[in-house]
Amino acid sequence: MLSDKLRKLLTILLFSAMTVSVFAADTSALVKKQLTAAEDAMDEDDIETAYKKVNGALQMMNDETTPSLRSSVISEAKLIYQQKLEGLLEKYDGSALSDIKIMLEKYPDVKNTKIEKLLGQIDENQKLAAENQRKAELAASEAAAQKRHNEEQKSLQKQTDAIEKQNEALSKQNEAITKQAASNAELAESMKTQAEELAKSNENSEKNLKAIQEGFAGMQDSMSDQAEALKESSKAQAKSTTIMVISIVGIAVLILIIVLVVIVIARRSMKQQAERQEQYMQAFRLIAENTSNTNRIMLGGVTDLYGGHSEPLKLAGASTWAPAQALPDVTFTPEDEEELKQLAVKCEDIGTQIDQVTNRKNNSKNVSELVYKLSMQLGLSQGNAMLNFCASMIYDAGFLGVNPDLWTAETLTDEQKEEMHNHVNIAEKYLDFVPKKYWEVFDDASKKHHENMDGSGYPNGLKGDEIPQIARLIRVAETYVAMSSRRNYRQAMDKETAIEKLREQPEFYDTTVVDVLDQIV
């Protein structure tokens, strides 16, 4: 009985082993088939098919897959993934990139340094594309705002013209009212004179009447009826004259009242018009002020191109920092300043590339802004400070020609360190866009920013005043930015600690520049 059970158990185990063996053999065959299909597709430059086939091979592999077959699949996958990522680097596809990242997480053996670098480049390109799109949208928004502003100015100009015309019409109306008031006053005076003359005439008539009565007293009886009639006539005439005088005086008073009312109304209208005009002028000044602020935002607040310092800048005290020493052969005209603005845009693009290669986020921007502020505080002119700003944005341009693999290496050999140091000698090939009249400043910035005050720096071992101003500024600014930035191997220093570190090394850093740095940060 026990022997039968043992026999059945052995039979089942043997059958299972054979099944597993057959299944493993079939799986290995399928893996080889997928691998072969992937290799054939690569020979035909069909990357998509090769990518699908090698993924199929990866997914079919199991614990039974032989090491040699697994190694072949992994090697082929690395090659195909690199080709796939290089294609995505030229033509980005978000869903394809996401699929690759998922597969690399699932099969980490496929990932190598080249693949990681390609992934990093794709991510950086997307960040740069997003930033460029943001800048384009910002430029479009600013253009729309400028257009609205221009339309508002045109509308305000039309309103101002209408106000001026209305003021002219009101002025003419006031002149007419004034003339009419003068005319009415003359008429009233004339009517008053006529009334006085009429009163005198009535008085003379009464005197004549009395003389007639006395002269013909003897004839009173015979002429009584006529005298009575004449007396009645005189009374009626006097009454009529009185009524006329009262009417004339009343009319004159009414005219004066009308004139006064018209003058009051005119003055009130002029006052209201002046208030409305003042409101328009306030609105105009507000729009002009907003326009000025908008232009400052568009041009950037760092370089202060409008020269709007609240206090005059002072010299640091050293004769070598006098403004005339900065760039004696260049006089900065408005055209030069506009040229520098355009040059700054190009330098900013190259500075961004340098920061991407060196993996130092915003380093070019931070160093150039600090150099600009130092230049202004040291008493250099606006043009020279702006020129230093541009040059210090691309002072490390030579790093664009250094082997990219050196940035990911954990340690460097002496030869590799020498290649790193050589970046100061190859920078000039990236500065061909710089105008000839500014070349000296850019050349000094890129070649001599590692010179030390005691002559221990490179490449020429310059010391003291032999080192150009721009190089000394960058030497201090670059070190301060590095100290105050967080690194993988240390925390960022606070301002006081960083300044103290710089003061402790006068053999490296210009103490005058360090003192000014302490004042502005």
Side-chain angles (χ1 to χ4, degrees), residues 100-344:
I100 290 175
K101 289 181 177 180
I102 292 173
M103 292 300 293
L104 289 174
E105 290 180 359
K106 189 174 181 181
Y107 301 103
D109 292 342
V110 177
K111 187 180 294 186
N112 60 12
T113 302
K114 180 66 174 178
I115 290 175
E116 290 179 346
K117 183 177 179 181
L118 287 171
L119 288 171
Q121 289 178 342
I122 292 173
D123 289 340
E124 286 297 323
N125 287 351
Q126 291 311 300
K127 290 179 181 177
L128 182 59
E131 179 64 18
N132 291 337
Q133 182 178 1
R134 185 189 68 78
K135 290 182 179 179
E137 292 174 352
L138 179 59
S141 175
E142 291 174 348
Q146 185 65 32
K147 182 178 180 182
R148 289 196 300 271
H149 163 68
N150 292 338
E151 293 175 351
E152 290 174 355
Q153 282 191 322
K154 290 180 180 178
S155 175
L156 183 59
Q157 186 61 44
K158 290 181 180 178
Q159 292 177 1
T160 304
D161 294 341
I163 290 173
E164 291 179 354
K165 291 181 180 178
Q166 189 174 2
N167 287 339
E168 291 177 1
L170 184 59
S171 178
K172 292 179 180 179
Q173 183 180 359
N174 289 336
E175 291 177 359
I177 291 173
T178 303
K179 290 180 180 180
Q180 184 64 37
S183 177
N184 290 339
E186 291 177 358
L187 177 61
E189 186 66 25
S190 176
M191 293 176 70
K192 181 180 179 181
T193 302
Q194 291 178 5
E196 291 176 352
E197 291 177 351
L198 184 59
K200 290 180 179 179
S201 176
N202 289 335
E203 184 178 353
N204 292 332
S205 296
E206 289 179 355
K207 290 180 179 180
N208 291 334
L209 179 59
K210 289 180 179 180
I212 291 172
Q213 288 176 348
E214 291 175 356
F216 292 94
M219 299 173 68
Q220 185 175 6
D221 291 338
S222 61
M223 298 179 66
S224 59
D225 292 339
Q226 295 179 4
E228 186 68 24
L230 183 59
K231 185 177 181 180
E232 291 293 332
S233 176
S234 297
K235 289 181 178 180
Q237 187 177 2
K239 184 178 181 180
S240 176
T241 300
T242 303
I243 293 173
M244 183 179 293
V245 171
I246 293 173
S247 298
I248 290 172
V249 173
I251 292 173
V253 172
L254 182 61
I255 290 173
L256 289 175
I257 292 174
I258 292 174
V259 170
L260 290 175
V261 170
V262 170
I263 291 175
V264 170
I265 293 174
R267 288 184 176 179
R268 182 176 296 176
S269 177
M270 291 177 66
K271 183 178 180 181
Q272 293 176 349
Q273 191 67 33
E275 290 176 352
R276 285 197 296 270
Q277 186 172 5
E278 179 62 23
Q279 291 174 354
Y280 283 123
M281 293 306 296
Q282 288 178 355
F284 180 82
R285 287 193 293 268
L286 182 59
I287 290 175
E289 183 178 352
N290 290 337
T291 299
S292 176
N293 291 334
T294 300
N295 290 338
R296 285 176 181 271
I297 292 172
M298 291 171 66
L299 292 175
V302 174
T303 57
D304 191 13
L305 299 178
Y306 292 94
H309 291 287
S310 59
E311 297 180 359
L313 296 169
K314 300 178 180 178
L315 295 178
S319 61
T320 54
W321 287 104
Q325 295 289 332
L327 197 63
D329 296 332
V330 177
T331 300
F332 291 94
T333 64
E335 291 76 12
D336 292 327
E337 292 184 358
E338 183 61 32
E339 183 181 33
L340 284 175
K341 295 176 192 176
Q342 301 300 324
L343 185 61

Side-chain angles (χ1 to χ4, degrees), residues 454-498:
D454 64 354
S456 62
Y458 67 89
N460 300 319
L462 302 179
K463 62 189 301 184
D465 291 343
E466 295 176 348
I467 306 173
Q469 287 183 3
I470 181 62
R472 281 183 273 167
L473 289 170
I474 293 175
R475 187 76 170 102
V476 172
E478 178 190 35
T479 305
Y480 177 79
V481 169
M483 287 180 176
S484 57
S485 301
R486 183 178 179 181
R487 295 290 186 262
N488 294 332
Y489 52 86
R490 64 164 173 79
Q491 294 292 327
M493 293 183 187
D494 56 61
K495 171 217 164 182
E496 290 76 12
T497 303

Side-chain angles (χ1 to χ4, degrees), residues 325-507:
Q325 295 289 332
L327 197 63
D329 296 332
V330 177
T331 300
F332 291 94
T333 64
E335 291 76 12
D336 292 327
E337 292 184 358
E338 183 61 32
E339 183 181 33
L340 284 175
K341 295 176 192 176
Q342 301 300 324
L343 185 61
V345 174
K346 295 181 181 178
C347 292
E348 182 180 3
D349 291 338
I350 297 177
T352 301
Q353 297 177 29
I354 297 171
D355 290 346
Q356 289 176 349
V357 169
T358 60
N359 197 27
R360 299 178 298 183
K361 186 176 181 181
N362 294 328
N363 181 74
S364 297
K365 173 179 176 294
N366 294 335
V367 172
S368 59
E369 288 181 2
L370 194 52
V371 167
Y372 175 84
K373 294 176 182 178
L374 287 169
S375 299
M376 294 301 292
Q377 191 66 18
L378 284 162
L380 302 186
S381 67
Q382 174 72 51
N384 280 301
M386 185 62 184
L387 187 59
N388 287 348
F389 171 79
C390 295
S392 56
M393 199 178 299
I394 58 173
Y395 71 96
D396 266 340
F399 279 141
L400 296 175
V402 172
N403 184 355
D405 292 337
L406 298 185
W407 298 107
T408 58
E410 294 183 0
T411 58
L412 298 178
T413 64
D414 291 341
E415 291 78 7
Q416 290 172 332
K417 291 179 181 178
E418 183 62 28
E419 182 178 355
M420 278 289 195
H421 288 176
N422 193 49
H423 77 278
V424 299
N425 296 319
I426 63 175
E428 61 180 282
K429 68 179 181 180
Y430 298 100
L431 307 179
D432 55 354
F433 66 92
V434 177
K436 185 177 180 181
K437 58 184 176 181
Y438 304 141
W439 174 259
E440 181 180 352
V441 175
F442 281 79
D443 190 49
D444 287 342
S446 62
K447 284 186 177 180
K448 302 172 183 178
H449 62 273
H450 282 293
E451 298 286 359
N452 294 329
M453 296 299 291
D454 64 354
S456 62
Y458 67 89
N460 300 319
L462 302 179
K463 62 189 301 184
D465 291 343
E466 295 176 348
I467 306 173
Q469 287 183 3
I470 181 62
R472 281 183 273 167
L473 289 170
I474 293 175
R475 187 76 170 102
V476 172
E478 178 190 35
T479 305
Y480 177 79
V481 169
M483 287 180 176
S484 57
S485 301
R486 183 178 179 181
R487 295 290 186 262
N488 294 332
Y489 52 86
R490 64 164 173 79
Q491 294 292 327
M493 293 183 187
D494 56 61
K495 171 217 164 182
E496 290 76 12
T497 303
I499 294 293
E500 187 60 32
K501 290 286 186 183
L502 293 172
R503 289 191 192 282
E504 291 174 356
Q505 302 178 80
E507 68 274 16

